[in-house]
Amino acid sequence: MSSSANEARKGAIRDNVQRPSREVPYPHKDGKPIYTSEFFGENVFGLAQIAKALPKPAYAQFMQQMRGGRSLDKGTADAIAHAVRIWAMDKGATHFTHWFQPQTGTTAEKHDAFLTLKSTHGATGIEVTAIDAFSGSQLLQAEPDASSFPSGGMRSTFEARGYTVWDTTSPMFVQHGPHKTCVLYIPSIFISYNGDALDEKTVLLRSTEQVAKAALKVLALLEPVPQGAHPITSYVYTTLGIEQEYFLVDRSLYVLRPDLKITGRTLIGALPAKHQQMEDHYFGHIPSRVLATMSESELELYKLGVPIKTRHNEVAPQQFELAPIFEETSLAVDHNLLTMDVLFKTAHRNNLKVLFHEKPFKGVNGSGKHCNWSISTGSGENLLDPTIKPETNYRFLLFLLATLDAVQRHGSLLRASIASASNEHRLGAQEAPPVILSCFLGEHLTEVLNAIEENRPVKNFSKTEIQTIKLGGTALDVKVASLPDIARDLTDRNRTSPFAFTGNKFEFRAVGSKQSPSFPMTVLNAAVASSLLDIAEALRKAAGEKPYPSDADKLKVIRQYIVSTKNIRFEGDGYSDEWRQEAARRGLPNIDNCPDAFDQLLSPDHERMLCKLGVFTPSELQSRHFIMMERYSKDLLLEANTMRTLLAQQILPAAYEYRAALAGSAAQMKSLGIEGCPELKTLRDTTPLVEGLQEWIGKLDEAVENVHHHSQDPSKEARASVKYLLPAMHGAREVADELEEIIADKYFPLPKMSELLWF
């Protein structure tokens, strides 16, 4: 067995070296390359296309509907459906699909053909004609089987009806398929027959509405207008820029790793001699096959209207990142999920496999999805921009403090939003933010808040001999005559902070690379909305009988929130033991396992906030709690059973074969009268490891059985998984990894980390 598996492994390595690169032509016109901006969004049916398809009054009505001002009438829906069908079919589309985000961590789609049959009664009987059709009702709504998706008990198997509904705020698009055909994708929400949210997008859209309403209430108090006049700011939205990290491995090696295929991570595998300790992979030369995959992905994404901006090597070998330009939050989430899908497909075409798991390889950095969040007005003003003098920018300070207050009051809920079986391997592992939620502001902004609290001038951070104050930061003199001055931001970056202010936005670094950003952003939006409403009430109270608060009133509220948010602000090393001790003194929660994190959804304070805002209903929260607990247990059981099979059917047989070879060689040496046989020493060294691995397989079986005892209660099952499965898998892996380093390479059946991480 081991020899044939090893041959497959060696063959995959040879194929990896000999495989030619895939060539994908860059778009040209008249023999010249086309600028990216010229084909950007060519596969998107957005507002510009809708405006062309509709009469002006109908388009105005559609825009009102999109902003929540009215419902979409049948005539307008039919006109849009007809226009988008013609547009899509001209590009080769044969099918359409409502594209939605069930609570599975990924997207879902069901393809329906434009083709339909029309029957007419003629002289010769019934005549059937094939036609292409797409109605407004088909555009607006579809009906998938709601019982086949996670619902947390809200839908029984016999209660199958659910609805997908077109999200008009996210543009439709086409994706190419086989045989030069296309599919029209319609971004949608997914609700039950009773209107309960069964997806990630519905609650995200609710939260964006609530944070916008709350922000407008604060701005209305900060921006005086004559009585009866329209407010200065009438539209506010949150923005999001998502940095997506991922690994790429050779697909021929990937298929030989059952653990990678089934669970997304290597359940066993010794760390190679060289991994990331040389610190030479980050921002290093991008391997040719990887660059080809990145470039092909970007070409597709540009056509889909996804504004990819940055690509680079990450810290670990074969780890990479791409990041887009900031967009409205819901659209940014859609584009992130679309990016993951395109990366998956293009990697496959380039004989690579993309790994989005947060920790596919033990011992090297895992992957995150850094969510850079801010809030802007309709005129493009960033409400989290500190400007030149943040100490006098009361609007900035109030929105900054609202965000800090949100994290302080609902940090454990944010912790729940990023909890998963896969992300737990990464969080707090000296490579990613710790599980204790805190906020980093940087020396300058911390000084600003301290000075306001203490009613004193702000300390000057500039050094006149080498620096001059410039808009947005400080100019640094690098003392090289041939180089220009460089701009220094108001804040440094703290990579150990899970929620850091980085110039004009907050970076939520704890989100996992595999998960949808929808739920973390839903929680963040809702928490900030709640804090903004409290700040608006505090401003009104401080103003008293005055129509608008004075500067003194604003400063009073600002000082109040500076004091109340002190505990959540931390400028030091989030990895240190000292911070854990300090966080405990501050009363900050340190939730170190998923089940405890999931329980935060049902904490009275968090539940009250989410339900009061209308982001969730109580039944939707109960459902999500059920789904998260159940998913956690399923993930760990899948890993435990996969590991058990891998150890029993591949690693132990390889060890037996190697031991047999050692024993045969030792016997042969002895028959020849050769003294001091080194094979016997190696044989003796492997004996306790093989016996130990056999014992751990038995412990894995016991652990799985213990978890199954609680299968009727997802909460108890999840806690049993923590208690029994995690220690058993950890112990079994330690022994298996030690065996891997002893067994001769020719007997080892699986591709090793040294082969997966370097090609």
Side-chain angles (χ1 to χ4, degrees):
M1 184 278 301
S2 293
S3 58
S4 61
N6 185 266
E7 275 305 307
R9 173 182 148 218
K10 297 299 183 185
I13 295 170
R14 287 193 295 270
D15 291 344
N16 181 15
V17 175
Q18 298 168 1
R19 186 178 292 115
S21 297
R22 171 181 162 84
E23 293 290 335
V24 177
Y26 184 85
H28 280 66
K29 185 178 181 180
D30 300 328
K32 294 183 179 180
I34 302 174
Y35 291 175
T36 307
S37 58
E38 294 181 59
F39 63 86
F40 182 81
E42 70 175 31
N43 289 336
V44 177
F45 192 84
L47 290 178
Q49 290 73 23
I50 293 176
K52 289 179 183 178
L54 297 179
K56 287 185 178 179
Y59 180 70
Q61 291 178 3
F62 173 74
M63 293 302 294
Q64 284 185 334
Q65 182 278 329
M66 210 173 85
R67 296 193 179 104
R70 60 177 295 153
S71 58
L72 193 63
D73 63 87
K74 184 179 184 303
T76 303
D78 284 338
I80 296 172
H82 176 76
V84 74
R85 178 182 66 80
I86 298 300
W87 172 83
M89 292 189 71
D90 284 345
K91 290 181 174 290
T94 57
H95 290 71
F96 66 92
T97 180
H98 277 222
W99 185 62
F100 59 103
Q101 304 170 25
Q103 294 178 61
T104 57
T106 183
T107 58
E109 57 194 68
K110 180 189 75 169
H111 298 184
D112 287 303
F114 289 121
L115 178 71
T116 190
L117 298 178
K118 181 180 180 181
S119 299
T120 57
H121 293 273
T124 58
I126 298 177
E127 297 179 2
V128 178
T129 306
I131 62 171
D132 296 302
F134 184 50
S135 68
S137 60
Q138 288 175 304
L139 166 64
L140 291 176
Q141 183 176 315
E143 186 182 324
D145 185 347
S147 67
S148 299
F149 291 99
S151 69
M154 285 201 296
R155 304 296 290 162
S156 301
T157 302
F158 63 88
E159 297 174 315
R161 197 179 297 278
Y163 302 109
T164 53
V165 182
W166 175 32
D167 171 21
T168 57
T169 65
S170 188
M172 293 177 276
F173 56 91
V174 294
Q175 281 211 82
H176 292 285
H179 318 303
K180 297 185 179 180
T181 63
C182 290
V183 176
L184 173 65
Y185 282 74
I186 305 165
S188 304
I189 64 168
F190 179 39
I191 58 175
S192 74
Y193 179 70
N194 297 318
D196 296 311
L198 296 176
D199 65 340
E200 302 284 8
K201 185 173 228 188
T202 301
V203 291
L204 176 62
L205 292 174
R206 291 174 186 167
S207 74
T208 56
E209 285 186 6
Q210 292 305 315
V211 75
K213 289 178 182 177
L216 288 173
K217 288 184 177 180
V218 173
L219 291 173
L221 292 166
L222 301 180
E223 300 171 341
V225 295
Q227 190 172 5
H230 291 296
I232 294 174
T233 303
S234 59
Y235 181 62
V236 169
Y237 64 101
T238 57
T239 63
L240 185 62
I242 303 170
E243 304 169 27
Q244 178 67 59
E245 296 176 340
Y246 59 96
F247 282 82
L248 284 170
V249 297
D250 185 79
R251 190 152 56 92
S252 57
L253 292 170
Y254 165 84
V255 298
L256 297 176
R257 290 286 313 214
D259 48 356
L260 268 182
K261 287 172 61 179
I262 297 171
T263 72
R265 74 181 183 103
T266 51
L267 298 174
I268 60 173
L271 196 64
K274 182 181 180 183
H275 41 92
Q276 65 185 44
Q277 76 270 45
M278 304 304 292
E279 300 178 330
D280 56 353
H281 192 259
Y282 190 60
F283 278 28
H285 173 75
I286 301 174
S288 299
R289 284 174 64 196
V290 173
L291 187 58
T293 301
M294 287 178 168
S295 180
E296 185 177 349
S297 298
E298 288 169 355
L299 287 177
E300 287 197 31
L301 289 167
Y302 289 148
K303 294 176 183 179
L304 291 166
V306 183
I308 299 298
K309 185 71 172 177
T310 303
R311 64 190 184 200
H312 63 82
N313 286 9
E314 259 298 334
V315 172
Q318 297 311 123
Q319 186 187 33
F320 308 95
E321 180 185 296
L322 58 77
I325 300 169
F326 283 50
E327 299 178 282
E328 186 278 325
T329 296
S330 178
L331 181 60
V333 170
D334 280 2
H335 280 170
N336 175 254
L337 297 174
L338 188 55
T339 296
M340 294 171 72
D341 181 57
V342 169
L343 272 173
F344 176 88
K345 292 173 182 175
T346 52
H348 188 88
R349 291 196 289 263
N350 284 274
N351 291 297
L352 295 173
K353 179 66 181 179
V354 63
L355 305 177
F356 291 117
H357 193 287
E358 286 81 359
K359 193 73 170 176
F361 303 106
K362 182 181 178 181
V364 299
N365 277 17
S367 298
K369 193 188 300 267
H370 301 174
C371 292
N372 297 276
W373 179 93
S374 191
I375 185 166
S376 295
T377 67
S379 60
E381 289 185 272
N382 184 347
L383 297 174
L384 287 177
D385 183 359
T387 63
I388 301 173
K389 295 191 71 177
E391 60 268 29
T392 59
N393 188 339
Y394 298 153
R395 185 182 71 176
F396 159 73
L397 290 171
L398 287 167
F399 277 86
L400 176 79
L401 290 165
T403 310
L404 296 179
D405 183 64
V407 179
Q408 171 139 317
R409 290 165 55 194
H410 301 290
S412 56
L413 184 61
L414 285 166
R415 166 71 177 92
S417 76
I418 49 91
S420 68
S422 54
N423 205 22
E424 294 304 280
H425 293 287
R426 165 180 166 264
L427 293 177
Q430 301 298 307
E431 62 182 74
V435 294
I436 304 169
L437 267 289
S438 65
C439 298
F440 169 84
L441 295 182
E443 185 182 13
H444 192 156
L445 285 180
T446 298
E447 165 61 17
V448 167
L449 297 189
N450 290 341
I452 293 172
E453 180 192 354
E454 297 163 12
N455 198 23
R456 60 171 175 79
V458 177
K459 185 171 63 177
N460 188 357
F461 282 86
S462 64
K463 297 181 180 179
T464 54
E465 68 273 15
I466 65 166
Q467 300 174 8
T468 56
I469 299 297
K470 294 185 72 176
L471 180 64
T474 305
L476 299 183
D477 182 357
V478 294
K479 295 185 172 62
V480 178
S482 60
L483 295 178
D485 289 350
I486 61 172
R488 186 179 75 174
D489 292 312
L490 286 177
T491 62
D492 199 350
R493 292 187 67 189
N494 185 338
R495 67 184 303 274
T496 73
S497 174
F499 200 86
F501 188 77
T502 56
N504 59 3
K505 61 189 183 298
F506 277 97
E507 183 181 18
F508 193 8
R509 300 186 69 251
V511 180
S513 55
K514 187 173 73 170
Q515 76 175 111
S516 166
S518 288
F519 186 43
M521 293 305 101
T522 297
V523 170
L524 178 58
N525 284 343
V528 172
S530 178
S531 293
L532 284 171
L533 290 174
D534 289 345
I535 283 177
E537 184 60 33
L539 287 170
R540 278 191 290 267
K541 184 177 179 181
E545 299 297 321
K546 300 188 295 291
Y548 295 98
S550 64
D551 284 353
D553 297 331
K554 296 171 192 174
L555 272 172
K556 179 182 177 181
V557 174
I558 287 169
R559 286 197 181 96
Q560 172 190 332
Y561 276 84
I562 288 173
V563 173
S564 66
T565 59
K566 266 189 170 181
N567 282 345
I568 203 66
R569 304 195 320 254
F570 178 64
E571 304 297 304
D573 181 2
Y575 295 161
S576 66
D577 290 334
E578 290 78 11
W579 166 233
R580 290 180 177 84
Q581 296 166 13
E582 172 64 22
R585 284 192 292 270
R586 296 186 186 190
L588 299 180
N590 183 1
I591 304 171
D592 62 359
N593 67 78
C594 281
D596 285 349
F598 300 151
D599 279 346
Q600 298 304 310
L601 270 70
L602 305 182
S603 168
D605 288 344
H606 303 322
E607 183 176 8
R608 190 180 309 112
M609 180 271 292
L610 292 169
C611 295
K612 182 180 179 181
L613 289 171
V615 175
F616 284 91
T617 65
S619 61
E620 287 170 348
L621 274 179
Q622 290 280 355
S623 163
R624 188 170 289 263
H625 177 264
F626 183 102
I627 290 169
M628 294 174 83
M629 287 287 191
E630 186 178 56
R631 176 63 183 268
Y632 180 76
S633 302
K634 287 179 177 179
D635 283 341
L636 288 188
L637 282 168
L638 186 64
E639 289 188 355
N641 286 320
T642 301
M643 173 180 266
R644 196 256 182 229
T645 301
L646 201 62
L647 296 176
Q649 297 183 7
Q650 297 210 46
I651 303 306
L652 274 181
Y656 297 155
E657 191 173 354
Y658 179 50
R659 282 168 54 80
L662 287 172
S665 177
Q668 189 175 17
M669 296 300 109
K670 185 176 181 180
S671 68
L672 294 173
I674 298 175
E675 297 290 333
C677 180
E679 287 89 343
L680 283 176
K681 181 181 184 306
T682 305
L683 188 61
R684 294 190 187 99
D685 290 342
T686 62
T687 298
L689 293 175
V690 172
E691 291 174 346
L693 195 56
Q694 288 173 326
E695 290 177 11
W696 277 112
I697 289 173
K699 291 178 182 179
L700 274 172
D701 290 337
E702 290 176 12
V704 168
E705 187 63 29
N706 285 330
V707 172
H708 281 318
H709 286 322
H710 303 283
S711 60
Q712 299 305 309
D713 185 329
S715 182
K716 290 181 179 179
E717 187 178 35
R719 296 184 189 285
S721 298
V722 173
K723 182 177 180 180
Y724 298 112
L725 293 181
L726 290 178
M729 287 192 288
H730 176 75
R733 176 165 193 158
E734 282 194 335
V735 178
D737 290 355
E738 195 172 347
L739 257 179
E740 179 185 324
E741 295 185 310
I742 295 177
I743 295 174
D745 187 74
K746 63 181 288 188
Y747 296 100
F748 201 76
L750 303 173
K752 298 181 178 181
M753 282 180 62
S754 58
E755 296 152 357
L756 290 163
L757 291 175
W758 303 100
F759 62 78

